[in-house]
Amino acid sequence: MRDGVRLAATVWLPEPRGRHPVLLARTPYGRGPYGPGLRLDVTRLLSAGYAVMVQDVRGTGESEGDLRFLTGEAADGHDTVTWAARQAWCDGQAGRFGDSYLGIAQLLAVSERPDGPRAIAPSVSPAGLHDVVYAGGVLRLGVVLPVLATVIAPLQLARRARLDPGEKGLPAAPAARLGEMLRRLPVGDQPEITDLFPFYADWLAHPDPSDELWRDADLEARYDKIEVPALLSSGWYDYFRDSTIRTYRALRGRARLVVGHWTHALRERTLAGHDYGEHASGEAVDWTGLHLDWFGHWMRGTPLKDDAKVRVFVTGACEWRAMAGWPPEDEAAVRYHLGGAGTQRRPARSCRRQRCAPPSCTTTAIPSRPWAATARPGRVRVLLGNLAHVFGAGHRVRVEVAGSDFPKYARHPDSARITISAPSYLLLPATGRPRSSRDAVRPRS
């Protein structure tokens, strides 16, 4: 790297040997060919004539330096792809791939405009480091702690043992205590985490997104610097779904978007007990084939087999649909006023499967219990995020307002009473207005 730090990488070369375009991934999760975030079939990539390079980010695996978690990723990513493009086994062309951390790492790197990259394929990508840690000003507890405690911590402890074999008393990986850690208050009292990752305390001490701490890994501030074509993908139940779609809308003509019914990590046909059909899974989509099509177009000039700008899986209809953009151009806002007196519910817990909330994850009404009145009346506008869904005849829409979503998000220390007053309404962007009032979906609170 430009500061002299050396980073470790594994390179797989296709046969016959020669000069090939390289597909690169940078990861904090271990550089094996099928580790977290590496969803492509490396054997197929090699058979298609690509070199494949997977690198430990600094401070992880066998790379030198200290882990900074996305901070500095733009510079290190730039230097890595520039190095790779100049190697004797590379023809000067590079592509990037990978999920989550590996996804935003691609976008940050190409914003530095290095030589070599021809196309990238970020999947389930946040829009910045602050976007990883906070949502709407609330700590993403169910994202931050599991990633640090169960995914990266065992790797960092193994790294410590390797670098200093004589060190005694290394702590056990905190994964077994994750449940206790999620319930612990205050949320900053996590010595198992701060010992391995000092930046965790900094994250909690600086919640303001305008703080200097977040600036280096603020992707949204770099959108106008990204010129490389991007294949963006996510799932309707991924916690970075809206971030990925914001990135797509910012890049516009330079990007393509694919959204399935998936979560952040799972791309199966069945989710939370609901079967979405034989075409729904990542395997049915042929995820590696989709990427080979994308990279082949931009590196070898082959026509795209699927040239749709946006392809989304529509829940309710359980089918894939091609669109010219997102949101759909022909949508119209339909207003549905809430009816009924409503039902009080206990504060909601997050859905177990990847903290998702698909239509099949519902809660059951229970009798009311005492609440503390801590709010005053006022107007509140709540953005519900992106979804493509078909409501069938006779369906109803239920609006649930809860004071928690634990452990997906950190808990508020106080209890609260939530009252929804008239004239509250649900505004649904729809691709067609109901034919008559009888056909309208009539929500009830």
Side-chain angles (χ1 to χ4, degrees), residues 166-362:
E167 184 177 354
K168 303 296 183 182
L170 280 175
R177 297 189 299 280
L178 179 60
E180 173 204 338
M181 294 164 64
L182 289 168
R183 293 188 296 271
R184 194 178 295 167
L185 292 175
V187 294
D189 181 20
Q190 307 288 353
E192 307 97 322
I193 296 298
T194 52
D195 175 60
L196 287 170
F197 312 109
F199 49 74
Y200 176 78
D202 293 335
W203 290 351
L204 269 59
H206 299 87
D208 187 341
S210 65
D211 193 275
E212 178 69 25
L213 176 72
W214 314 104
R215 192 163 300 168
D216 183 75
D218 181 3
L219 179 61
E220 294 184 82
R222 295 171 175 262
Y223 282 150
D224 61 348
K225 299 178 181 179
I226 299 174
E227 299 176 342
V228 176
L231 171 62
L232 298 163
S233 56
S234 188
W236 293 127
Y237 312 118
D238 170 37
Y239 32 71
F240 297 135
R241 168 202 62 201
D242 293 338
S243 304
T244 298
I245 291 175
R246 282 202 308 275
T247 300
Y248 163 76
R249 297 187 67 181
L251 301 185
R252 282 294 185 183
R254 305 185 298 281
R256 177 186 173 190
L257 177 66
V258 178
V259 187
H261 77 291
W262 312 307
T263 69
H264 190 71
L266 299 176
R267 298 186 184 178
E268 302 169 357
R269 61 180 285 175
T270 302
L271 177 63
H274 184 77
D275 189 343
Y276 286 84
E278 61 180 337
H279 302 297
S281 71
E283 183 179 352
V285 170
D286 185 9
W287 205 242
T288 299
L290 181 70
H291 284 71
L292 285 172
D293 186 38
W294 179 252
F295 292 129
H297 177 70
W298 292 109
M299 295 188 192
R300 292 168 172 165
T302 57
L304 286 170
K305 297 177 183 177
D306 182 0
D307 59 358
K309 294 294 293 183
V310 174
R311 189 165 291 279
V312 300
F313 189 85
V314 181
T315 56
C318 289
E319 64 183 22
W320 288 93
R321 293 184 185 176
M323 298 182 178
W326 186 269
E329 295 178 356
D330 61 343
E331 71 175 19
V334 184
R335 182 180 298 189
Y336 299 104
H337 284 274
L338 305 185
T343 302
Q344 289 182 336
R345 303 170 185 276
R346 295 184 186 275
R349 293 183 63 85
S350 305
C351 172
R352 290 179 60 85
R353 292 291 295 271
Q354 293 298 309
R355 311 304 174 199
C356 64
S360 55
C361 280
T362 59

